[in-house]
Amino acid sequence: MDEALRNTVLNMPKAELHIHIEGSLEPELIFALAERNKVALAYPSVEALRSAYAFTDLQSFLDIYYAGASVLLAEQDFYDMTMAYLQRAQADNVRHVELFFDPQTHTARGVAFADVINGIDRALQDARTKWQMSGLLIMCFLRHLSEEEAFATLEQALPHRDKFIGVGLDSSERGNPPEKFAGVFARCKELGLHLVAHAGEEGPPAYIRTALDVLQVERIDHGVACLQDPELVQRLARQQTALTVCPLSNIKLRVFDRMQDHNLAALLEAGIAATVNSDDPAYFGGYMNDNLVAAFEALPLNRDHARQLAHNSFAASFLPHEARESCLREVDAFFRQ
Ligand code: ADE
Ligand code: ZN
């Protein structure tokens, strides 16, 4: 990639729509929180923990990711984790973030739902004041657990309805199809929540179809498996259903062997509204701009693709109309330079 394109990608205004806040916990912060909270870790040092980040598939990552999250106990822990991520995102010219959080990972350990959401929300408010950065929260249901447990989590969340704008579906994809959660997503839709789901990361294109048809989601998280199904590609392009693609994640979790094999450029060429995101930046070797640079270095992507990605990131966001239009104007102005 030449220097001009690199600067464009780094400096362009952008939104991040697929980041699990627990996946932003850096090993250093895991160790600091473990000490503060007197939690024992299975690894003797930051280096030993980091060297365990050699994943073979989604499940091998999730096992370590849930272990890392075990150091989060108090409201302040959730604040500190979120603030560290937002500061890092701000340095990458991220103007707007839509954060996932996994309340079940914490409530199962006895942490109060209120402490989780209040800590994250307080950091989002501070980022707005400090950096004029907007942030919205999406609560994910863990798909390896039951729909009944998802309903119970929704009940716990409702007193905090003003602090999150939507729900998502994450964790172990294979064997846990979207339709397992048809009832709870229907209830969330009645409540006026936005709906998204991970689908077609490791799972088949059929899961993307049922996420759309049964859950009625507005965006697909990952969705890279769609290219195996040409009719689905046409549909995603026609409907402009956004895919929140996570290039470094897909390499670390072996969805693609090498970045040169990633299908991001093919998705964009097919007219799909793809976006680039970091997923779990502390575990996959990079934040927003690292993902963009890695993809642009390896794939046939040019300045028009950069503009498209910046545009898509805001167009696919759940920002209110006026704020979204204002961000899109900022993208246009940036690319007129
Ligand atoms: N939870 C955190 N990261 C995830 C991913 N990439 N896929 C599914 N669940 C997740
Ligand atoms: Zn994800």
Side-chain angles (χ1 to χ4, degrees):
M1 171 170 44
D2 70 28
E3 197 59 23
L5 181 55
R6 185 186 174 86
N7 286 332
T8 297
V9 160
L10 296 179
N11 296 326
M12 67 186 189
K14 53 187 76 86
E16 173 146 61
L17 307 179
H18 183 161
I19 152 81
H20 302 262
I21 196 60
E22 295 90 348
S24 74
L25 258 187
E26 292 287 348
E28 289 78 7
L29 188 51
I30 291 180
F31 270 79
L33 293 176
E35 192 168 306
R36 185 155 101 188
N37 291 330
K38 313 268 180 289
V39 174
L41 290 173
Y43 300 89
S45 65
V46 165
E47 293 70 32
L49 176 58
R50 210 183 281 279
S51 65
Y53 293 179
F55 312 115
T56 50
D57 59 7
L58 176 57
Q59 193 59 50
S60 67
F61 154 69
L62 289 171
D63 294 341
I64 287 196
Y65 162 84
Y66 295 129
S70 71
V71 300
L72 297 159
L73 293 181
E75 195 247 31
Q76 187 65 37
D77 304 338
F78 291 90
Y79 176 89
D80 291 345
M81 167 178 67
T82 308
M83 211 54 209
Y85 161 72
L86 293 170
Q87 182 150 23
R88 189 63 191 70
Q90 136 85 8
D92 283 356
N93 295 302
V94 173
R95 301 281 196 272
H96 171 67
V97 300
E98 297 186 3
L99 285 187
F100 293 136
F101 73 117
D102 285 342
Q104 288 160 297
T105 304
H106 314 300
T107 54
R109 297 181 288 110
V111 178
F113 187 99
D115 287 341
V116 178
I117 199 163
N118 288 337
I120 300 171
D121 178 66
R122 189 157 60 85
L124 291 173
Q125 301 311 326
D126 283 358
R128 185 179 292 274
T129 310
K130 263 179 144 148
W131 304 308
Q132 292 78 50
M133 187 177 176
S134 55
L136 299 172
L137 206 44
I138 298 177
M139 174 172 78
C140 282
F141 300 119
L142 297 180
R143 68 200 306 159
H144 67 275
L145 301 179
S146 68
E147 184 179 49
E148 197 183 343
E149 287 164 291
F151 266 117
T153 301
L154 180 60
E155 280 305 311
Q156 289 181 301
L158 287 182
H160 304 275
R161 175 66 185 85
D162 58 321
K163 300 189 194 95
F164 65 104
I165 52 116
V167 296
L169 186 64
D170 66 359
S171 191
S172 321
E173 186 181 9
R174 287 198 197 115
N176 295 298
E179 51 272 30
K180 178 176 165 186
F181 296 89
V184 74
F185 269 69
R187 179 74 192 117
C188 289
K189 191 174 163 92
E190 279 173 8
L191 289 166
L193 288 159
H194 285 290
L195 309 177
V196 299
H198 284 52
E201 178 186 16
E202 273 192 350
Y207 286 14
I208 301 175
R209 288 181 177 273
T210 52
L212 295 170
D213 294 334
V214 182
L215 301 189
Q216 302 200 11
V217 300
E218 297 157 80
R219 297 195 300 244
I220 297 286
D221 296 311
H222 294 292
V224 290
C226 72
L227 277 190
Q228 300 163 26
D229 180 341
E231 200 186 297
L232 179 59
V233 169
Q234 277 188 5
R235 174 182 177 183
L236 292 168
R238 189 176 64 245
Q239 296 177 171
Q240 286 293 286
T241 306
L243 302 188
T244 62
V245 175
C246 306
L248 286 171
S249 165
N250 292 154
I251 304 310
K252 292 281 177 190
L253 301 188
R254 310 267 189 95
V255 174
F256 300 95
D257 290 337
R258 305 170 308 160
M259 194 60 86
Q260 291 92 317
D261 304 321
H262 198 287
N263 65 13
L264 174 66
L267 294 170
L268 289 169
E269 287 304 315
I272 288 180
T275 64
V276 166
N277 308 270
S278 69
D279 205 7
D280 301 282
Y283 291 91
F284 299 149
Y287 288 78
M288 186 62 170
N289 279 353
D290 301 311
N291 273 273
L292 285 164
V293 167
F296 275 75
E297 292 278 10
L299 299 170
L301 293 167
N302 59 33
R303 181 179 162 89
D304 290 335
H305 295 109
R307 181 205 296 257
Q308 191 68 54
L309 287 167
H311 175 95
N312 292 351
S313 73
F314 293 112
S317 76
F318 296 136
L319 277 167
H321 180 76
E322 262 315 305
R324 185 169 54 225
E325 290 303 310
S326 157
C327 289
L328 289 170
R329 280 194 298 274
E330 203 194 330
V331 172
D332 286 346
F334 178 88
F335 279 93
R336 265 200 301 275
Q337 289 170 20

